[in-house]
Amino acid sequence: MAIDGNDFLRDIWYFAMPSAALKPGEMRDKTLLEEPLVFARTSEGKAFALRDICPHRGIPLSDGWFDGKELECCYHGWRFAPTGHCTCIPSLTEDQEMDVDAIRVRPYPVEERGGGIWVYMSADPRGRAEPKMAPPDLPEVTTLGPGLTERMIFPSHIDHAVIGLMDPAHGPFVHQSWWWRSKRSIHEKAKRFGPAEYGFAMLRHQPSSNSAAYKLLGGTPTTEIRFRLPGIRIEDIEVGDKRVCNLTTVTPIDRQTTEIHHMMYWNVGWAGALKPILRVFARKFLGQDRDVVVKQQRGLKYDPNLMLINDADMQAKWYYRLKKAYGGWTEGAFENPVRETTLRWRS
Ligand code: FES
Ligand SMILES: [Fe+2]
């Protein structure tokens, strides 16, 4: 089963950190899905990740040293290559024969795209299985690297973070502000949705006229918003040859802590000058989403029954259906439970 006891999907790629957060020769410890990992980048620039536990006596490898090639444990100096194989046990005398190479720390497949480090969290505790698929496909403009990166911690399980971020009906209440929308601007929406890779998409459309932020781009923008398991939202905006992409990734740290990264990419020269303003808006926006999740936790601790209504909560229903289908998927092509349809709601 590709779903674990914490309700985290396994055998799937998660966003771990922005590429810029790991310089050549650096290592960084990070808990993901309640597992301790150490990420490092060789002096040649290749990122890798290992389980952050020395197989000798269990001390975190991140407490040791990294010389840009190998990790060295701080306790007895055992050394480990990026593949996880042990390369040296300093206490061995010349005549003591030991197959050092057979000792291996669990490696995690790592790939970089869109200026981010992605890690494959396998269900196999030794991590020997090959990834079932590649990391998410991102729009072309993401190869330029993010112009803006924001990070936020939500004190909730990933499920509530994901459905809170994708929820179309909370906008006028949670995100009230002059530059986005107000309660008075509520009107009926009808949007076409369809299945997409390991998820679903709000098919390409012209965004609603009450979003003042889009007007900045001039012309008539069209937007496609894709959601993909385990919690990746890709908003792809086109205006003529201008492209803007918003990438939001949701990654569980543990059962009660979820990390959100929001990255913006653009090929619009002048957008760089707007960075300070964009940053303020992105922070405010994400902060509003986090604050409402913080309030929600006060109710959720009593484990109440919850409701998902049509059509405003349909995307949340799809998320749970997709997660269940993925969790039970063992062979053949993945069967996406989402069908093309129009959803209608007021927001
Ligand atoms: S605990 Fe790591 S080398 Fe002994
Ligand atoms: Fe929101």
Side-chain angles (χ1 to χ4, degrees), residues 318-340:
W318 286 338
Y319 167 68
Y320 285 120
R321 279 179 209 162
L322 281 159
K323 200 173 160 181
K324 195 162 161 225
Y326 195 89
W329 174 38
T330 47
E331 58 192 48
F334 174 67
E335 269 193 54
N336 192 318
V338 178
R339 298 286 166 266
E340 190 167 336

Side-chain angles (χ1 to χ4, degrees), residues 221-240:
T222 65
T223 299
E224 182 201 64
I225 303 175
R226 277 188 283 145
F227 172 81
R228 172 192 160 119
L229 291 173
I232 296 149
R233 180 184 186 274
I234 303 161
E235 184 175 13
D236 186 6
I237 303 165
E238 286 186 24
V239 194

Side-chain angles (χ1 to χ4, degrees), residues 11-328:
D11 292 341
I12 200 159
W13 292 89
Y14 285 89
F15 183 89
M17 64 182 76
S19 296
L22 196 64
K23 306 260 179 314
E26 267 184 359
M27 69 173 157
R28 196 168 291 276
D29 65 305
K30 180 154 186 140
T31 305
L32 292 177
L33 285 68
E34 303 210 339
E35 283 179 38
L37 276 72
V38 54
F39 289 84
R41 190 188 291 287
T42 64
S43 1
E44 277 93 59
K46 181 125 180 62
F48 65 94
L50 301 175
R51 181 167 155 89
D52 193 15
I53 297 182
C54 179
H56 183 211
R57 293 264 258 288
I59 213 163
L61 289 171
S62 58
D63 282 323
W65 301 276
F66 179 53
D67 62 2
K69 282 192 171 62
E70 293 181 338
L71 294 171
E72 185 175 84
C73 181
C74 69
Y75 206 167
H76 312 94
W78 291 20
R79 297 176 64 87
F80 299 91
T83 54
H85 289 283
C86 186
T87 59
C88 171
I89 296 184
S91 67
L92 289 178
T93 62
E94 227 155 86
D95 58 332
Q96 284 170 341
E97 280 195 20
M98 189 170 165
D99 186 5
V100 170
D101 187 64
I103 302 170
R104 195 180 190 195
V105 185
R106 171 178 176 174
Y108 290 78
V110 158
E111 274 195 41
E112 293 193 72
R113 53 179 68 176
I117 299 178
W118 300 77
V119 61
Y120 187 77
M121 299 297 287
S122 150
D124 169 11
R126 291 165 312 159
R128 304 252 163 109
E130 283 294 305
K132 283 187 187 174
M133 85 295 268
D137 251 338
L138 302 176
E140 177 74 27
V141 65
T142 62
T143 57
L144 299 174
L148 188 83
T149 304
E150 279 299 316
R151 171 187 178 268
M152 205 156 280
I153 294 288
F154 283 22
S156 77
H157 188 269
I158 180 175
D159 288 352
H160 282 294
V162 167
I163 66 179
L165 288 166
M166 66 170 47
D167 175 3
H170 75 284
F173 300 92
V174 171
H175 300 298
Q176 284 183 54
S177 51
W178 61 266
W179 53 273
W180 189 248
R181 50 185 65 166
S182 71
K183 275 189 207 168
R184 273 175 304 140
S185 72
I186 288 192
H187 64 266
E188 187 170 320
K189 311 260 171 71
K191 298 270 154 73
R192 197 82 192 140
F193 286 82
E197 201 179 38
Y198 305 108
F200 55 85
M202 182 191 284
L203 305 178
R204 196 160 279 289
H205 66 286
Q206 290 182 7
S208 67
S209 51
N210 64 1
S211 303
Y214 286 122
K215 293 196 181 125
L216 279 176
L217 284 171
T220 312
T222 65
T223 299
E224 182 201 64
I225 303 175
R226 277 188 283 145
F227 172 81
R228 172 192 160 119
L229 291 173
I232 296 149
R233 180 184 186 274
I234 303 161
E235 184 175 13
D236 186 6
I237 303 165
E238 286 186 24
V239 194
D241 55 4
K242 294 185 203 121
R243 296 282 182 282
V244 176
C245 171
N246 287 303
L247 172 65
T248 312
T249 62
V250 186
T251 304
I253 303 300
D254 57 39
R255 271 198 78 85
Q256 277 306 319
T257 318
T258 301
E259 186 175 45
I260 319 293
H261 278 97
H262 181 77
M263 280 149 292
M264 275 188 86
Y265 308 80
W266 54 73
N267 66 356
V268 188
W270 49 262
L274 289 178
K275 234 155 106 166
I277 304 177
L278 288 171
R279 189 179 298 282
V280 170
F281 285 172
R283 242 180 232 169
K284 171 140 192 224
F285 210 80
L286 272 179
Q288 289 166 333
D289 284 318
R290 182 205 45 216
D291 293 348
V292 79
V293 163
V294 168
K295 290 176 187 151
Q296 184 188 28
Q297 291 305 307
R298 303 210 324 260
L300 288 184
K301 72 175 182 238
Y302 299 100
D303 201 18
N305 287 324
L306 304 176
M307 301 165 66
L308 294 174
I309 67 164
N310 289 344
D311 286 352
D313 296 332
M314 198 58 191
Q315 296 177 72
K317 290 189 189 182
W318 286 338
Y319 167 68
Y320 285 120
R321 279 179 209 162
L322 281 159
K323 200 173 160 181
K324 195 162 161 225
Y326 195 89

